Amino acid sequence: MRYDLDDLRLFLHIVGEGSITAGARRTHLSLPSASARVRALEHHAGVDLLIRGRRGVRPTPAGSTLARHAREVLAQTARLDSAVASYTRAPAVPLTLLGGSSAMHRLVPRALVTFLRAHPDVDVTASESRTPRTVRMLTDGAADLGVVVDDEARASGLRTEPLGDDSLVVIGQAGGILAGRATIPYSEVAEHPLVGLDTGSALRRWIDKHVGPHAPVARHRTTVAGLNVLVALAAAGVGLAVVPRRVVDPGEPVDVCALEDPWARRRHLLAWGVKAEAPAAAVTALADHLRRAALAEPPGADA
């Protein structure tokens, strides 16, 4: 037999309220109309669905089974309606968010999780990008927001705001060659075997740009694509690693040593682009989620 969705909704309201009168009211039907629908439903089912009493109604075993399946059917119908309706909306221009290796490690993913959940109709294209390229794209209107390094974006003319510390540190196996030290110059770090990010990554390019021509040529035992793997290799004693302090969790089994070099002290800025197509409200909301993500960094990340 075929079930009418409106009849199923009515039946669920009646069961939920324990009254045909109350169920009729919930579905904006008259009592005679609601009663007729229930009788027709029972006729088609070939079994009584409600036990009628002086103080209301309650479902029979068959009625309880119908109610349980009716809830599932109506829930599936609602999901179907939502899925189909998504194709009727005009597609919005995706927001474009850029950031370097450090920002893409934890800050941007954390912000995307909360933003995309809160804004199901807005899409975001997030890509790793070095600060000079990010600044160009923001200036040219090819991106909406960027997480950039302060000294490379300070004179860009873009609207910026502080987002958090992104200073670099050296990490190594706990109890290893960094044990008992608070600071170390990069020239000494480079005398030891290192593990690093791939040469095309934003962080690796930053380090190579700033170490200068007189620094020892570092020996990288291996290079990897992600900071998670890099931290794990350093913790295992494969080599020292230069990473942003913010990516090292407080409970990580590594020794952490600040770099003495001035170029290692840097800060993240949130930079706004001039992209005209993007809805201003969505860009503002994404910026707010990035601020919250920055504030949620683990204790010690901004030390």
Side-chain angles (χ1 to χ4, degrees):
M1 63 173 290
R2 295 183 179 180
Y3 288 96
D4 182 90
L5 295 180
D6 289 334
D7 287 346
L8 294 180
R9 292 189 185 93
L10 170 63
F11 187 74
L12 287 178
H13 286 313
I14 291 172
V15 171
E17 296 288 345
S19 165
I20 297 178
T21 301
R25 188 181 307 116
R26 290 280 303 274
T27 50
H28 307 289
L29 293 173
S30 67
L31 178 58
S33 177
S35 297
R37 281 176 173 262
V38 172
R39 287 194 299 270
L41 194 58
E42 291 178 316
H43 175 74
H44 286 298
V47 65
D48 289 339
L49 300 174
L50 295 174
I51 299 173
R52 295 158 174 84
R54 295 180 181 178
R55 297 185 178 181
V57 297
R58 67 181 190 274
T60 65
S64 295
T65 299
L66 176 64
R68 175 165 55 84
H69 286 284
R71 292 188 188 95
E72 296 176 0
V73 168
L74 293 175
Q76 289 280 8
T77 301
R79 287 192 285 270
L80 173 62
D81 289 343
S82 177
V84 174
S86 67
Y87 291 96
T88 65
R89 294 188 294 266
V93 177
L95 302 185
T96 300
L97 170 62
L98 304 176
S101 309
S102 174
M104 288 295 171
H105 172 70
R106 186 158 50 202
L107 173 65
V108 168
R110 181 184 286 126
L112 285 178
V113 166
T114 58
F115 175 81
L116 293 174
R117 285 177 177 172
H119 300 272
D121 294 333
V122 182
D123 299 331
V124 180
T125 299
S127 305
E128 182 176 325
S129 172
R130 296 175 58 215
T131 292
R133 175 177 176 270
T134 298
V135 168
R136 288 196 300 272
M137 292 187 68
L138 291 170
T139 303
D140 294 343
D144 301 292
L145 292 170
V147 181
V148 296
V149 179
D150 54 0
D151 71 335
E152 290 188 320
R154 194 176 300 122
S156 64
L158 295 170
R159 172 188 170 189
T160 61
E161 61 181 88
L163 199 58
D165 182 77
D166 195 47
S167 295
L168 303 180
V169 296
V170 182
I171 61 173
Q173 186 177 35
I177 59 177
L178 298 179
R181 300 192 61 171
T183 64
I184 188 173
Y186 180 82
S187 59
E188 184 177 343
V189 173
E191 295 174 356
H192 301 277
L194 301 179
V195 289
L197 293 180
D198 295 337
T199 55
S201 71
L203 178 59
R204 179 67 181 275
R205 287 174 175 264
W206 167 275
I207 295 171
D208 291 345
K209 172 185 175 182
H210 287 86
V211 294
H214 303 297
V217 178
R219 172 198 170 198
H220 283 89
R221 299 197 60 198
T222 188
T223 57
V224 296
L227 285 164
N228 281 332
V229 178
L230 190 61
V231 173
L233 289 171
V238 175
L240 301 181
V242 177
V243 298
R245 184 187 294 273
R246 70 192 312 154
V247 310
V248 184
D249 291 325
E252 199 74 50
V254 293
D255 287 330
V256 181
C257 197
L259 279 170
E260 297 175 3
D261 307 77
W263 55 262
R265 294 185 290 275
R266 60 186 203 168
R267 294 190 63 81
H268 270 159
L269 301 178
L270 177 60
W272 297 67
V274 294
K275 189 175 179 181
E277 298 89 346
V283 177
T284 300
L286 179 55
D288 187 52
H289 283 262
L290 285 163
R291 295 186 196 101
R292 296 179 191 175
L295 291 174
E297 288 294 311
D302 291 340

